[in-house]
Amino acid sequence: MKRLAIFDCDGTLVDGQANVCIAMEEAFEATGRTPPPRPLIRRAVGLSLPQAMAMLLPESTAEEQDALAERYRLAFRSHREAGKVFEPLFEGMEDLLRHLHDAGWTLAVATGKSDRGLAHCLAEHGITELFASLQTADRHPSKPHPSMIEQVLSDTDHTAEQAVMIGDTTFDMVMAEAARVRPIGVDWGYHGADELVASGAIGVACDIDELRRMLEAE
């Protein structure tokens, strides 16, 4: 039986919240604004940058949101070039990915990261070759639009019924439902388990072992 697991990146595969918060704070400060509190910044993780800026600064114009997004990109790129970006895989995640890959699962990523950011993150951990399709915000509408998942299905020749979406935000759950793919939540990311269930998750894993059991039951 063909099986496809589509993973979100930030908050699901890797823990990069400190990097996101610092770059976002610098972006706001560079434009003379008071940065939002970090809990609010974390809630915007997963959206494409213009949509995240609209959430964080709802009374701003599209031009202001685009300017903030560019400031964020510059800040994040500067940190990466200086070797200050640290995005560790969650404990046990690499073992899970390799187990699924060896068991015949097709793996993919659907993320709000940029192409460059995702490529660097996966290469840093030596896991790029595990994924058959990598979809990012550079080439798709923001989550929860289903475009990224639809492209993964096309790339990998799977049907929606053969796929699951694993993510830590309500954006991931709603995106999966829009693509008719089963959503599975993880509670070590940016949105709470109750929110994930309310947004359509068929279950929420509290740790990697539970996520493995849920996937093996598919």
Side-chain angles (χ1 to χ4, degrees), residues 203-216:
V204 178
C206 65
D207 56 34
I208 296 291
D209 288 339
E210 185 174 15
L211 178 57
R212 179 183 298 207
R213 290 192 296 271
M214 292 172 70
L215 291 173
E216 289 177 341

Side-chain angles (χ1 to χ4, degrees), residues 47-124:
L47 294 173
S48 297
L49 277 176
Q51 286 71 26
M53 296 310 181
M55 176 179 169
L56 296 173
L57 203 65
E59 296 181 1
S60 59
T61 66
E63 290 77 13
E64 289 171 328
Q65 292 158 16
D66 287 343
L68 276 169
E70 183 58 25
R71 287 285 188 174
Y72 175 88
R73 293 187 191 98
L74 291 172
F76 204 97
R77 188 178 308 147
S78 173
H79 294 170
R80 189 181 297 285
E81 291 172 352
K84 296 179 180 178
V85 171
F86 184 53
E87 298 176 298
L89 286 164
F90 285 104
E91 185 176 357
M93 183 57 72
E94 182 175 356
D95 288 343
L96 172 63
L97 294 172
R98 294 193 182 279
H99 168 77
L100 293 172
H101 187 268
D102 292 346
W105 283 75
T106 298
L107 306 182
V109 177
T111 176
K113 277 184 174 295
S114 66
D115 284 333
R116 178 186 298 185
L118 178 61
H120 187 280
C121 178
L122 298 182
E124 187 176 56

